[in-house]
Structure formats: structure tokens, C-alpha cells
Amino acid sequence: MESNTFGQQSSKVTQLADRISQAISMREFLEGDSLPSINELSRRYGVSRDTVFKAFQDLRERGLIDSTPRKGYFVTSQVTNVLLLLDQYTPFKETLYNSFVSHLPLNYKVDLLFHQYNEHLFNTIVRESVGKYNKYVVMNFDNEKFSKALHKINPARLLLLDFGKFDKEKYSYVCQDFDESFYRALESLKDRLTRYRKFVFLFPRTLKHPQSSKDYFVRFCQANRLECTIEDDVDNLQVEAQTAYLAIKQQDVVKVVKQGRLEGLKCGKDFGLLAYNDIPSYEVIDEGITALTIDWHKMGDEVAHFVLNNTTVQEYLPTEVRLRCSL
């Protein structure tokens, strides 16, 4: 086991239990191996015997170790540590996470981190995680290129999520197609969308969404002779009648609904609204907001399959339409 110092981020019991768990995960201790005694670990880490005992109890409850009068504490099950590195929190990422962990046995430990589209933070997390996990599930920093920091990870241990418009044939991935699949989803709604005078794509300047979606939006509108605008100044948006709006950010969906009300317009009657990535609240906001989305529950299932079965997965999830009253 590594360094005998602890930080301040969590209790000594938790940190010691996690350190022993990681040592088991990295096969420093195999099933059946005896662990160092309570006295030895107390001296090594400068903690009380009670702290070591509580750490052992934690690991026992996880099903990783047990004890006998003759053998002391020993490893009963191999632990698997997983890094789940996502871009930022959203309700649909929570759906992904809950779906994923619901499949995992107790001897699987998932560290959930967010890089917040900060490239330095992303690179630091990846660099400091190398060699500490059995599996890495990562939302890449960029949709257009493979992040160089990920070259440090064994490709067999890495699953790429969501973004992936780059060469990734030697890697496992479960991604969205922000181009052709997005276009096909709009095409499935063309009978409804072409009833409107204009189609507006709300795409704020700071939005971390693949820029290529703009091109496919324009292509759809041109193919269907539908006047279109890409609006990057959403703060000063004026909602107009006979106009359909496509919003990616949840805040922008709410903004359109509220602004429409202020102007005496009803969503789904006077103007149309389409959201990107479905969340539970879209089922009830203003009698329901139509959404273009992948199945985030399905993505979680695919992540679990990769982690549990050590099998290669290479899949683009289709963009689906959840049709509701807003369109």
C-alpha cells in the first residue's frame, strides 16, 4: 500500500478503507491473502487501533474482507475500482449514473468526478488516476479530437462516452451522433416543424455542444424551405408567434416558456418548443416539452456491461423523439 499520509478531504477511517480497497483492486493482496494486523496498520499510518478496526468493518460490510480467530483479517473478494469522469452535472447524467451503478455488485467502487469542461482539470484528473483504477469511463473533453492525456490509459480499460467525432477504433465507446442522427430526428418531426413560419436554434456563445450540429440544423431547414436562425444571445430573446425554438440548455427551455407567457403566447399553440436531452421535468412543464434525446438509461446499461464483462463495445446510440404538447 502506498503513502502513509492522509489528506483532509474525508475521515481517516474512510481514507484507510479506500487505501486497502485500492491495494486489493491492484492485486497487492489476492483472495485468501492475510492483511497486515491492526497493530501494524496503526503504526504504519499513525492512526488509532480503533480507526483501523472501523476501516476493517467498512471493508467487511462491502464484502471484501473477513476474519477468523486463527487467520486474522483476510481478503474474501477482489474489488474493482472504476473512475467515472463526466463533463458536468445534469439530470440526464444522473440517470446515466443511477442506471450504471444499479448493475454493480458491492465489491465495485465507483469514483464519480466532473471536469466541468476545464482542460487543465481534465488532464490533472486523468494524470493522477493512472494506475489507480481497473476501469476508466470518460466523457472526453472535446468532441472533435481525442484528448492526449488519455493515451496514458490502457485502451482495454477505457470506455469513451458521449463525445467522439474522431478516430477511436481501438477504444470502446458509447457515443451520441450530433450530426446525422440529429438530422434524422428533426426529419421525423418535419410535418410539425414546417407548420411554423421560422425555426430558431438557441446556441449561446459559451455552450459546450458540438458546433457541427449548427450545420445539420441549417441543412434540415434548407431542405424543407424553412426560415431559420441560430441565436447566440439568449438573454435578450424575444419569443415570437408562429416560431419554433430548439433549446439545448435546460435554463433556456424555461426562459422560452417564461418569456412566451410574458408576451401572452402559449407554448404548443402560439409557438413551438423542442428541447435537447430529455429530463423528468420536461414531462410536466407547460403540459410537456418535446425532446430530442438519446436513452441515457441505456447508456448506463452499456457502461455496466463494459465494466462487468470486460468486453469491447462500440456503439452510437440513436437520437430519439419524445413527443409532447410543446410542438
Side-chain angles (χ1 to χ4, degrees):
M1 291 182 289
E2 55 185 39
S3 170
N4 60 357
T5 59
F6 292 133
Q8 302 297 319
Q9 64 272 30
S10 57
S11 73
K12 290 181 179 179
V13 171
T14 299
Q15 291 181 73
L16 180 57
D18 286 347
R19 192 156 296 177
I20 297 170
S21 171
Q22 185 180 353
I24 296 171
S25 171
M26 294 297 108
R27 299 187 176 275
E28 293 178 34
F29 301 103
L30 302 177
E31 289 186 30
D33 285 354
S34 295
L35 292 170
S37 69
I38 288 178
N39 286 336
E40 182 179 344
L41 289 177
S42 175
R43 287 193 301 271
R44 184 185 302 183
Y45 291 100
V47 296
S48 68
R49 285 171 45 85
D50 187 55
T51 294
V52 180
F53 178 75
K54 288 178 179 177
F56 278 163
Q57 290 301 106
D58 183 331
L59 294 168
R60 200 174 195 172
E61 290 173 5
R62 298 189 210 175
L64 301 181
I65 69 171
D66 206 344
S67 65
T68 64
R70 301 185 313 277
K71 199 170 184 179
Y73 286 91
F74 60 95
V75 178
T76 58
S77 179
Q78 206 69 44
V79 65
T80 298
N81 285 317
V82 182
L83 173 65
L84 179 59
L85 177 57
L86 305 181
D87 45 20
Q88 57 187 186
Y89 172 79
T90 56
F92 47 89
K93 305 285 173 52
E94 186 172 354
T95 299
L96 157 68
Y97 173 78
N98 289 336
S99 172
F100 169 40
V101 298
S102 70
H103 295 283
L104 301 182
L106 285 175
N107 61 326
Y108 279 70
K109 180 177 181 294
V110 179
D111 287 344
L112 172 61
L113 299 176
F114 296 94
H115 58 71
Q116 303 292 350
Y117 291 107
N118 182 311
E119 190 167 13
H120 176 73
L121 178 59
F122 176 89
N123 291 336
T124 299
I125 292 172
V126 172
R127 183 179 66 250
E128 294 182 352
S129 72
V130 173
K132 295 183 179 179
Y133 294 92
N134 304 90
K135 296 289 184 181
Y136 300 80
V137 182
V138 178
M139 282 189 173
N140 190 43
F141 182 77
D142 194 316
N143 186 52
E144 306 299 326
K145 61 184 179 182
F146 183 79
S147 297
K148 292 181 180 179
L150 296 175
H151 286 300
K152 301 176 186 295
I153 299 174
N154 181 344
R157 296 177 180 266
L158 175 62
L159 174 66
L160 300 170
L161 284 189
D162 202 21
F163 299 127
K165 193 178 178 182
F166 47 80
D167 180 21
K168 54 191 179 299
E169 288 310 307
K170 68 177 181 178
Y171 293 94
S172 287
Y173 58 84
V174 183
C175 293
Q176 291 194 67
D177 176 0
F178 298 95
D179 299 344
E180 292 290 349
S181 188
F182 169 57
Y183 183 95
R184 288 193 295 271
L186 291 178
E187 189 70 15
S188 72
L189 292 169
K190 69 178 181 180
D191 288 345
R192 292 174 181 267
L193 289 169
T194 52
R195 296 174 189 171
Y196 295 93
R197 178 179 59 82
K198 185 167 65 172
F199 194 11
V200 178
F201 194 180
L202 304 183
F203 208 110
R205 298 181 188 93
T206 58
L207 185 65
K208 301 296 185 181
H209 187 87
Q211 296 289 317
S212 57
S213 291
K214 295 178 182 178
D215 298 331
Y216 283 80
F217 169 79
V218 172
R219 199 174 95 182
F220 166 78
C221 292
Q222 289 176 342
N224 292 281
R225 297 180 180 179
L226 181 59
E227 181 185 347
C228 66
T229 302
I230 297 174
E231 181 60 67
D232 61 9
D233 183 12
V234 181
D235 289 337
N236 296 308
L237 179 71
Q238 296 293 313
V239 174
E240 300 175 353
Q242 292 303 305
T243 301
Y245 297 88
L246 169 57
I248 293 177
K249 294 175 64 176
Q250 182 182 357
Q251 301 96 305
D252 293 343
V253 170
V254 174
K255 192 173 296 182
V256 170
V257 172
K258 290 176 68 175
Q259 187 64 32
R261 288 176 182 172
L262 288 174
E263 295 171 18
L265 303 176
K266 181 171 176 56
C267 181
K269 180 181 178 183
D270 301 310
F271 67 92
L273 180 56
L274 184 59
Y276 200 97
N277 285 319
D278 200 19
I279 59 175
S281 62
Y282 289 165
E283 296 183 39
V284 295
I285 293 176
D286 239 32
E287 300 180 21
I289 305 297
T290 298
L292 304 180
T293 188
I294 61 166
D295 187 337
W296 290 93
H297 192 281
K298 167 74 170 173
M299 182 175 277
D301 292 344
E302 293 293 341
V303 173
H305 185 73
F306 169 81
V307 168
L308 291 171
N309 300 300
N310 296 310
T311 52
T312 299
V313 55
Q314 294 184 326
E315 183 175 2
Y316 277 96
L317 296 180
T319 302
E320 305 171 356
V321 175
R322 307 275 171 84
L323 187 60
R324 302 188 182 107
C325 294
S326 69
L327 198 67

